[in-house]
Each structure stands twice: as structure tokens, then as C-alpha cells.
Amino acid sequence: MNIDGNAILVIEDLSMVFGGLRAIDTVSMYIKKGEIAALIGPNGAGKTTIFNCITGVYAPTEGTISISRNGVTSGEALHKIQGLKPNVINHLGLARTFQNIRLFSNMSVLENVMIGRHNSLKAGIFNAIIRDPHTKEEEQRVIEESYDILKKLNLHMYVNEMACNLPYGAQRRLEIARALATNPFLLLLDEPVAGMNPQETKELEETINIIRDQEKVTILLIEHDMSLVMNVSERIYVLDYGRLIAEGTPQEIKSNPEVIKAYLGE
Amino acid sequence: MKTRIVLSELFKALGNAVWFSVLLFPLMIMKVNVVGGKALVTFRWQFVPFIFVSSFILSYLWKRALVWNEHRQDKIASDTLYYKFKKNVQTYFKNQSIKYVTLSLLVAFVVSFPFLFGMYHTNVMITAFIYVILALGLNIVVGLGGLLNLGYAAFFAVGSYTYGLLWKYIGPNFISAGIDTGWLFWISLPLAGIISTIFGVLLSLPVLRLRGDYLAIITLAFGEIVRMVLQNSGQITGGATGISLIPRPWFFGMKLAPKQAAVYIYYIVVVLVLLTIFVVRRIEDSRVGRALEAMREDEIACQAMGIDLVKNKLITFALGAFFAGIAGVVLAAQTTYINPDSFTLWESIMILMAIVIGGTGSIPGAIGGALLLKLLPEYFRPLAQYRMLIYGVAMILVIIFKSDGLLPRHRKRYTFEEKTNSNASAGAGK
């Protein structure tokens, strides 16, 4: 695979087999530093499975997944992450949201984001019990940082609200906020606007751009909403029956006969 | 419209009454007497109207209660008596001075308890407080970590037996060396905590991948295994007869009469309860506590947020086991006699029930639940026969009508003030 640009995520010949089903079949792709890329495809094409392989929920059957925080051209070696545990992968700088919202629903909105900051804190049990000045200061800091993140995603009015009581759109944004709190360099969004109305979708589109531009976070998203995908992404991968059938700019994808066939049939 | 709904409920209740009459026919109406090898069947038809009417009334009331429960949320929003009362109580306790007065009255009551009431009541209270420690400990596992543990009594047993075995094997050396055996209690207390914690970690290793029902079954098995081992390794643990004559704690070299000892243990357990509350509160509102709660809410998301589930589960079981171990030592010191029968599955279920009734994840809930379940049976001895029935009914009622328990947890609220001159704006406080 020839990589054009400064890749931070490189997937080579990735396959995932569940019993007799090849959910992903020798997929190779890469994500460039600072871009917004999209992964699209009909239902059941294997998009979420790829996400699950990247984030460690599944260990892929074959192939490699490697990351490099500053990009390959910076001279940094690629770090293989396939088969690592999800928490380790998160620690390395990959964060994700979920297709079916997985918030900590009986915790407050702020606490949800504070969980995201878990790894940037150090306090253990004994610190918690003694509550030394350093731990206190750390707690104070995480509260403030989490509030700032909520503010960026326009969720600060819900701080003390229970996550499950939030409107649907806000829950999706909270998932992004929580993922951002882990301080990732690559954010994987799994259908971020599923179930949102056009207004909310528009807002989220802006949010995604803001996250990329201000937070310098690279974004890979799975989405069915084509208007969002075409507006926001710079490069698109199309998946069908576990195989990569096309890649390119939104313009190229729109006119690709293979893609049209996959979506509309012959 | 409304009368029609009620009418349909009446018909349903009528149906239930008929059904129950049929169902209870062989139990309450038929009676078989065996006289001289011959079965003599008598029919007690006089019970039929009784069963019919009572099941009709109960069924109807139950239906009404369910309907009432459905509309309760709207009612709470309007100003019903219950809502006003709740609001009043809340505003009442918001007042700091009132809060402190109530607290100090409570403290005064707890401190003076052994002097106000007799030794019997003091002993009852000690047992109740031991259960408070257990409930608070299990609350970490079930309420915070969301890991259903049905073998919690095993850790309680480990604590008790640490003290018991220490007494059995090291005690004689103490006596021959002329050292007060009361010291053993103070040695056992931290030691039992540590050994229980080790057991907690050992249990958590095989159950790392399990959750829900499977976890419950494994922990249940663990609880039974520990009890069976204690029961069947007679040479070491004394088997079913257990260990007796366990010394009471040391008190500045004084020989304490049983009554004084009870008072002394009472204060020890009060201090331990306070310590437990303190520790659990601190943990609950910390990085570790939040991680445990996240694990309870969603394991996959929790892991995706960078939290190590393995470590989290180890911490949960270890913490829970620690408090059970300590409670076990106090139990051994109080009763001066332990045997495996004190640590059956029933004990585990009792503790679990205490936190479910009180409110899972809530500290006041765990305390209230444990006190309720331990004190009420003591003071309602005449109803002892119906204990299981009452527990069952209470459990069902709580789960249906107040599913987060009698004293549910109030989440910490964070307040923020906007800073006008900077865009990084947050001032946080309690």
C-alpha cells in the first residue's frame, strides 16, 4: 500500500473471521494526520467491526493495525496495536464513540467526562482516602478541565444532569465529549448523527470541524448520512461485504460506479 | 371512562379470586387424615369464601397499587402531602445548624446507648453494627462496582477464622509467655483485613471475565466452598464444632466482666463503622470510585475510556473483602465462639437484601437497610415464624414501588461560576 501523506493509522490486510463469516476481508487503509476521513458502506458491510478491531474490542484474525502519534513522516516508528486491550489502545491515543449510545447513564454528565480523564490522573485508593493536597488539586483540575470540554460541545448547561435524562442529540455529543476527554490524537466516531434531526446534524458537522481545527484531533467517522459525509470528510473509504471497494475524495466516490452499485444495486 | 377501568380491574380481581380458590383447593380445603392405614379425606368447604374474598380484596388492592405507582411521578410533581413532607424534610436538613444538631443528637444517642439500655440491647446493637460494616463493604462491590457477589459471607468467615485460628494456635503461646490474650484481637484486626483482601483478590482472578448471572453463580460457589472447607477440615478449624472461648479484646490490662466487655466491643464497632463510612465516602467521591461506577454502568465503554477492568475488579473485590474481614473479627470477639454455620449463603443474601432495600450504591441506604434487617427481627420476636414471608414481601414492595431503595443515593452536584474575563471559565466547588 502506498501511503500518500503523513499517516497516523495504517491498517494492512486486516481480516476478521467470525466462524464461517469473513466480516472483514483483507482491508488495507490509512488515515492521514489532521484529516477527517469517513468509512461508509451499506448495513452489515463491516464498518463497526473495523472500529472494534482498531479499538481492541476484537483481536483481528489476520493483518496489522499500526499507529504513530505524530505521523510516519516525522520519522516515528509505527506501533502495532492489534490484539491489545481496549484500555491500552485508548491510552495510546485512540478514542471512540459507539453506534448504540453507551454512556454511563446513571452518572452525571460531568462525571461522564471526568471518567474520560481517568488516565490523566494518578490518585489511587490511598490518595482517595487520605485526600492529600495533591489529590485535592488534581480533583479540582479534572472538574475544571471536564467543564471546559463540556463547554466546547455546548453541554455545560447539563453538568449535573443524569446522562440518561439528556435529549438524544446531547447524549451523542456527550459521547464525543467523553472520548475527547481521554486526550486522543485520533477520534473514531461511529454514526455520530444517527437519529438526529437536520438541525442537530448541521450543528454536529460544525462541532466535528471545530474538534479537528482547534483540538488538532484527526477524525475517522462511520456515517450513513451522506450529506454529512460529503460535507465534512476529505477522504472516504467505501466498504461492502467486508471488502474495500473504493477510496477517494467525496467527488470521486459520488461518481464511482462500484459504490453506486453497492448502494443502489444493479 | 374511569368507572369502566375500575370495573375491568374488579373483573380481573374476580378472576384472580376464582383462580386462587382453585389453586389453593388441595392445600387449604382438602385435608387428608391417615387413620389406621386408611386415608380419610375431609373437605373444609368453610374456607372457600374466606380464600375467595381475601384473594379478591388483595388482588384488587394490588392492581390499584400498581396503577397508583404508575401515576406517582405526576402526583409527586403536584403538591401531594407526601411531596410536601419530602420537600419540608429536605429544606429542613439543608439548614446547616439543624443538620449539626440532629447529627450531634444522633452521636449522643449512639454513644450513650450501652448505658441507657441493658446488655441485651447492646449486644443486639453490636450485631447490627457488624452488619452495617458488612453492608457498606458489599455496597462497594454491588452498589459501586456492579458485581453481584453472593458469596460475601465467605470473606466474613475468613475474618472470623483468622482471629479464631490465631487464638487456637498462637493463643497458648501467649498464655505460657504470660501475655494478655486480649492482644490477639488487635493483631487479628489488621491481619484479618489483609488476609480477607488476599482472598478477595484470589476470588476476583477467576471471575474477571464474568458478569451478571455467571458471576453470581461463581461467587455463590466460592462462598459455599469456603464454608465447606472450614466445616470439613476438622483438624485445623475444629470442623462443625468451630472454635470456642475466643478472647475478648484487650483493654489496658484490665480484666473485663462480660458486661464491660460488651460495652467495650460496642465502642470498638462504632469506631469501625465510622471508619468504614469515612473510607467508603472518600472512595465513592474519587477517581477510583468513579471508575468503579463506570464499570457498573457499562464495561465496554469503561474499557474504551482507558480504564483497566482487571485492575478495577481486583480493587472492587479486595475492598469489599477487607471490610468483611474486619467485621468477622468483631463477630468472633463478640460471640467468643465461631462455627461455619454463621457463614451460610443465607448470611450473604441477608447482606445483599439490606443494600437492595436500603438503596444500592447509597451509604445511608446500606446503613439503614442493615439496621432494619437486623433490628426488626430482634424486636419482633413473636413474628419470627413469618420472617421469610415478611422479607419476601418487603423485597417485592421495595423493588416495585421504590426501585432505588428506601434511602437512594444523591449524586454530588457541582456548581460553576462563570469567569467573565477569560474564556477558560470554570470555578468548581462542592
Side-chain angles (χ1 to χ4, degrees):
Chain A
M1 182 173 53
N2 53 333
I3 295 163
D4 153 41
N6 193 8
I8 56 168
L9 173 77
V10 180
I11 298 173
E12 277 174 303
D13 300 326
L14 184 76
S15 291
M16 182 76 215
V17 179
F18 296 110
L21 175 77
R22 272 186 106 75
I24 308 172
D25 196 0
T26 51
V27 167
S28 294
M29 56 190 278
Y30 64 92
I31 306 298
K32 288 187 281 187
K33 189 176 168 69
E35 75 175 342
I36 298 179
L39 184 60
I40 62 171
N43 284 327
K47 306 181 294 293
T48 300
T49 310
I50 290 194
F51 265 32
N52 283 340
C53 286
I54 298 174
T55 53
V57 177
Y58 300 145
T61 320
E62 287 160 31
T64 57
I65 303 166
S66 344
I67 55 164
S68 144
R69 184 177 269 270
N70 298 313
V72 279
T73 53
S74 70
E76 189 183 302
L78 281 168
H79 185 72
K80 286 200 170 48
I81 59 164
Q82 78 271 16
L84 292 179
K85 280 189 168 183
N87 53 312
V88 179
I89 289 174
N90 177 271
H91 207 53
L92 291 171
L94 265 63
R96 73 172 292 185
T97 66
F98 294 89
Q99 188 178 359
N100 43 343
I101 300 175
R102 281 181 174 275
L103 287 171
F104 306 124
S105 32
N106 292 317
M107 297 175 79
S108 72
V109 168
L110 188 77
E111 282 167 332
N112 266 274
V113 180
M114 283 161 86
I115 292 286
R117 299 222 49 87
H118 185 85
N119 269 338
S120 47
L121 310 177
K122 286 189 191 67
I125 298 179
F126 294 105
N127 300 102
I129 296 167
I130 300 160
R131 209 172 270 181
D132 50 300
H134 183 259
T135 310
K136 269 191 196 158
E137 184 261 327
E138 194 183 75
E139 276 290 297
Q140 189 64 30
R141 184 163 51 85
V142 68
I143 290 170
E144 283 167 21
E145 286 170 349
S146 304
Y147 188 73
D148 284 348
I149 294 169
L150 283 177
K151 232 173 158 194
K152 270 174 208 151
L153 283 153
N154 201 21
L155 286 163
H156 56 286
M157 58 287 218
Y158 298 122
V159 197
N160 287 313
E161 209 66 54
M162 216 70 109
C164 56
N165 294 337
L166 250 56
Y168 190 78
Q171 290 196 9
R172 287 235 171 255
R173 289 211 304 281
L174 179 56
E175 273 223 327
I176 300 177
R178 190 181 63 175
L180 272 182
T182 64
N183 216 355
F185 67 85
L186 175 61
L187 185 59
L188 306 160
L189 304 177
D190 198 346
E191 299 202 16
V193 300
M196 282 191 180
N197 63 34
Q199 175 62 30
E200 288 171 323
T201 307
K202 197 89 205 117
E203 281 167 16
L204 198 86
E205 192 183 312
E206 282 164 27
T207 314
I208 291 174
N209 277 314
I210 289 170
I211 292 168
R212 195 262 306 260
D213 298 336
Q214 290 182 1
E215 310 294 317
K216 310 286 179 228
V217 177
T218 311
I219 293 170
L220 171 62
L221 59 99
I222 292 177
E223 190 46 69
H224 281 301
D225 186 322
M226 280 308 140
S227 69
L228 175 84
V229 171
M230 296 301 165
N231 286 339
V232 87
S233 49
E234 283 135 23
R235 241 152 34 84
I236 299 176
Y237 284 98
V238 188
L239 211 61
D240 191 24
Y241 291 111
R243 285 177 165 278
L244 210 56
I245 56 169
E247 68 161 292
T249 63
Q251 283 312 316
E252 289 164 4
I253 294 297
K254 264 184 202 167
S255 52
N256 187 317
E258 285 272 333
V259 178
I260 294 167
K261 206 172 92 184
Y263 267 92
L264 299 175
E266 289 180 74
Chain B
M1 189 66 200
K2 196 166 184 187
T3 45
R4 215 165 151 186
I5 295 167
V6 175
L7 213 64
S8 79
E9 281 172 11
L10 277 174
F11 272 121
K12 266 189 188 149
L14 209 64
N16 284 348
V18 172
W19 177 236
F20 262 84
S21 306
V22 175
L23 208 65
L24 291 175
F25 181 79
L27 275 173
M28 294 197 55
I29 296 163
M30 260 166 75
K31 196 179 182 194
V32 183
N33 287 314
V34 182
V35 183
K38 263 190 169 178
L40 205 71
V41 181
T42 50
F43 293 94
R44 294 168 294 178
W45 296 108
Q46 71 272 23
F47 283 163
V48 175
F50 173 72
I51 294 169
F52 188 82
V53 170
S54 53
S55 55
F56 174 75
I57 292 171
L58 280 178
S59 158
Y60 182 69
L61 284 180
W62 182 247
K63 277 262 151 42
R64 290 308 313 167
L66 287 180
V67 171
W68 171 80
N69 189 37
E70 257 173 50
H71 298 292
R72 200 161 51 118
Q73 283 307 320
D74 325 331
K75 274 190 188 155
I76 286 171
S78 68
D79 43 9
T80 54
L81 204 66
Y82 168 72
Y83 180 71
K84 273 183 186 162
F85 173 73
K86 199 175 163 187
K87 205 79 202 150
N88 278 339
V89 170
Q90 273 170 0
T91 43
Y92 188 72
F93 280 106
K94 279 237 170 71
N95 188 331
Q96 285 294 322
S97 50
I98 290 175
K99 199 171 162 185
Y100 287 127
V101 168
T102 323
L103 257 175
S104 43
L105 277 177
L106 194 70
V107 168
F109 176 74
V110 169
V111 168
S112 55
F113 188 87
F115 302 104
L116 293 177
F117 303 94
M119 188 173 152
Y120 167 72
H121 295 281
T122 310
N123 269 321
V124 168
M125 219 46 183
I126 294 172
T127 323
F129 279 143
I130 290 173
Y131 272 82
V132 169
I133 300 177
L134 286 171
L136 284 168
L138 186 63
N139 203 23
I140 299 175
V141 185
V142 179
L144 285 186
L147 306 169
L148 187 53
N149 186 345
L150 286 179
Y152 195 61
F155 304 119
F156 191 30
V158 168
S160 270
Y161 269 87
T162 305
Y163 187 21
L165 293 174
L166 211 66
W167 155 241
K168 197 173 172 191
Y169 293 103
I170 314 227
N173 301 345
F174 268 60
I175 294 168
S176 59
I179 306 169
D180 191 339
T181 49
W183 274 108
L184 278 168
F185 174 85
W186 295 107
I187 300 167
S188 310
L189 206 58
L191 194 68
I194 294 164
I195 292 179
S196 279
T197 308
I198 293 169
F199 267 80
V201 171
L202 284 181
L203 169 64
S204 69
L205 290 176
V207 302
L208 284 174
R209 291 160 179 279
L210 306 175
R211 60 180 123 157
D213 317 355
Y214 303 100
L215 180 72
I217 290 168
I218 297 288
T219 51
L220 188 150
F222 173 78
E224 286 304 286
I225 289 168
V226 167
R227 192 173 65 85
M228 293 316 266
V229 166
L230 290 176
Q231 192 150 10
N232 290 315
S233 44
Q235 261 124 29
I236 306 167
T237 63
T241 41
I243 300 167
S244 50
L245 293 174
I246 297 167
R248 296 207 161 85
W250 175 85
F251 185 70
F252 298 108
M254 282 203 289
K255 263 267 171 276
L256 293 175
K259 193 182 157 130
Q260 289 168 312
V263 174
Y264 183 42
I265 293 175
Y266 174 84
Y267 285 122
I268 292 173
V269 79
V270 165
V271 170
L272 287 176
V273 166
L274 291 177
L275 262 174
T276 313
I277 295 173
F278 174 79
V279 170
V280 176
R281 269 192 72 138
R282 282 274 166 105
I283 288 175
E284 198 178 78
D285 178 29
S286 75
R287 172 177 175 265
V288 179
R290 280 196 302 272
L292 297 191
E293 280 195 272
M295 175 170 76
R296 175 195 68 201
E297 293 296 317
D298 192 319
E299 289 197 357
I300 292 175
C302 172
Q303 223 175 354
M305 289 303 112
I307 294 170
D308 191 346
L309 276 186
V310 173
K311 199 173 143 198
N312 239 8
K313 286 188 180 176
L314 287 182
I315 289 175
T316 314
F317 275 106
L319 271 175
F322 177 80
F323 292 113
I326 284 180
V329 175
V330 181
L331 180 87
Q334 188 216 357
T335 54
T336 69
Y337 166 73
I338 48 168
N339 74 347
D341 283 345
S342 321
F343 312 103
T344 52
L345 173 64
W346 169 238
E347 292 298 315
S348 306
I349 291 174
M350 269 279 287
I351 306 160
L352 187 65
M353 211 145 71
I355 63 175
V356 170
I357 287 180
T360 31
S362 142
I363 294 173
I367 300 168
L371 289 178
L372 207 69
L373 283 195
K374 263 296 152 189
L375 293 182
L376 286 188
E378 285 299 336
Y379 294 114
F380 287 92
R381 281 260 176 227
L383 292 175
Q385 218 184 330
Y386 306 106
R387 189 191 278 194
M388 291 295 187
L389 188 70
I390 294 168
Y391 281 168
V393 170
M395 201 75 177
I396 292 171
L397 290 180
V398 165
I399 286 169
I400 291 182
F401 295 107
K402 208 148 177 4
S403 51
D404 25 342
L406 298 176
L407 297 165
R409 175 171 177 197
H410 286 283
R411 291 212 79 82
K412 183 181 170 181
R413 292 185 74 82
Y414 303 84
T415 51
F416 294 90
E417 290 160 25
E418 294 294 318
K419 281 179 201 158
T420 43
N421 53 350
S422 72
N423 39 4
S425 56
K430 220 177 166 178

